[in-house]
Amino acid sequence: MKALQCTEFGPLENLRLAEVPDLVPAAGEVVIEVRAAGVNFPDALMVQGQYQVKPSLPFSPGMECAGVVRKLGIGVGDLRVGDRVAALLDHGAFAEQATASADRVFPIPAEVDFAPAAAFLLVYATAWHGLVNCARLQAGETLLVLGASGGVGLAAVQLGKQLGARVIAAASSTAKLDLCARNGADAGIDYVSEDLKTRVRELTDGQGADVIFDPVGGDLTEVALRSCAAQGRLLVVGFAAGAIPRLPTGLVLIKGCSVIGVQWGEYARRDPERYRADMLGLIERLALRQLVPHISATYPLQRGAEAIRSLLERRVAGKAVIAL
Ligand SMILES: NC(=O)c1ccc[n+]([C@@H]2O[C@H](COP(=O)([O-])OP(=O)(O)OC[C@H]3O[C@@H](n4cnc5c(N)ncnc54)[C@H](OP(=O)(O)O)[C@@H]3O)[C@@H](O)[C@H]2O)c1
């Protein structure tokens, strides 16, 4: 089978398409014939050796896929060969076959295509965990989403709206904000041409945002914290801008607000039953089209490096997908 392989940590362009042996599932695993794989920011970090986990070389990037179950390992009871599924992986989705632990594989209904299923799990799971489990977002609260047209950002916009919040999207261009509006955002702030804090104040009658979803980091996080309401919650989701900010904790004290780390992967390991229930609930919303991933670009496997590069260059709205 063909796999896009990373043989040494470094530039994305080092990724090479290779012919490798067919996969064999270990106990508790399945082999999936991959039809589509979602592209995520951590793929870029992993290939460059900057992710918290460094896989042994060579490896294929890709943390989520959708496809058809082709082989079952010993002890797999709930899945059958031929099942259409979506799966979360540590890595390995950018290949014609991927192995996945059966507890991270979710059947998808016939009406859900492979591409949206592959673009769905990781970002919506992160947004759900952040908004529901960490922030306990309530209907009627104001949610500010930074990087709102990106993968986790747009998922947070859609979910926030469904949970009954008033959603303010913040992004770097009018085109990105238009996409957020089409996905349910009530208001938009262009943080390149507008002052984020001033605009949040204007849009919230001086109160600030109750919950802030921040996958961007860098200088924006402190401005966001200054835009937070008293007793608000700032969700630290990621650092797409590169720099990990240091925050003035005096502001946290004065506002009585909370700064909460959103670590979705760790939560899935710590509380597997709740995590599985969350995932099944999200897939139900996907099947009902209550949640619709926005796929702005599709790449063939051999152009996987380009797909990851487009994320680093802020060119992806919603999600990019590798189609096989
Ligand atoms: N905590 C978790 O469990 C978890 C799970 C998944 C992802 N993450 C993290 O969340 C972050 C976003 O992931 P994603 O998949 O949503 O990425 P994405 O689709 O690329 O979105 C990131 C957004 O950040 C903004 N951004 C600002 N400065 C940027 C820069 N220098 N380079 C790239 N983007 C920049 C961009 O929006 P504008 O151009 O509008 O500013 C972009 O849309 C990453 O740090 C990722 O590692 C965390």
Side-chain angles (χ1 to χ4, degrees), residues 170-199:
S172 65
S173 73
T174 308
K176 289 183 172 186
L177 290 173
D178 286 347
L179 175 67
C180 297
R182 292 197 298 280
N183 281 270
D186 299 286
I189 302 174
D190 180 338
Y191 44 53
V192 173
S193 64
E194 298 181 286
D195 182 69
L196 183 76
K197 183 183 158 199
T198 307
R199 286 290 291 135

Side-chain angles (χ1 to χ4, degrees), residues 46 73 80 90 110 118 141 149 173 193 201 206 233 258 276:
M46 201 179 279
R80 296 280 168 270
D90 292 335
E141 287 193 312
S149 74
S173 73
S193 64
R201 293 262 155 215
R233 290 85 85 203
S258 308
R276 199 163 173 86

Side-chain angles (χ1 to χ4, degrees), residues 40-42 45 122-123 126 147 149-153 170-173 176 191 215-216 236-241 262-265 311-312 314 316 318:
N40 292 286
F41 209 88
L45 301 178
L122 206 141
V123 291
T126 303
S149 74
V152 291
S172 65
S173 73
K176 289 183 172 186
Y191 44 53
V216 177
V236 178
V237 179
F239 310 105
V262 177
Q263 242 248 355
W264 173 79
L311 245 72
L312 291 182
R314 296 165 87 162
V316 178

Side-chain angles (χ1 to χ4, degrees), residues 124-138 141 143 156 159-160 162-163 211 213 233 235 260 262 267 274 278 282 285:
Y124 285 87
T126 303
W128 179 271
H129 180 51
L131 298 180
V132 177
N133 300 332
C134 298
R136 304 190 188 286
L137 179 70
Q138 302 297 311
E141 287 193 312
L143 167 67
L159 265 174
Q162 282 208 1
L163 294 166
V211 174
F213 187 92
R233 290 85 85 203
L235 297 172
I260 308 173
V262 177
Y267 152 71
R274 184 167 175 200
D278 284 354
L282 285 170
R285 289 175 190 245

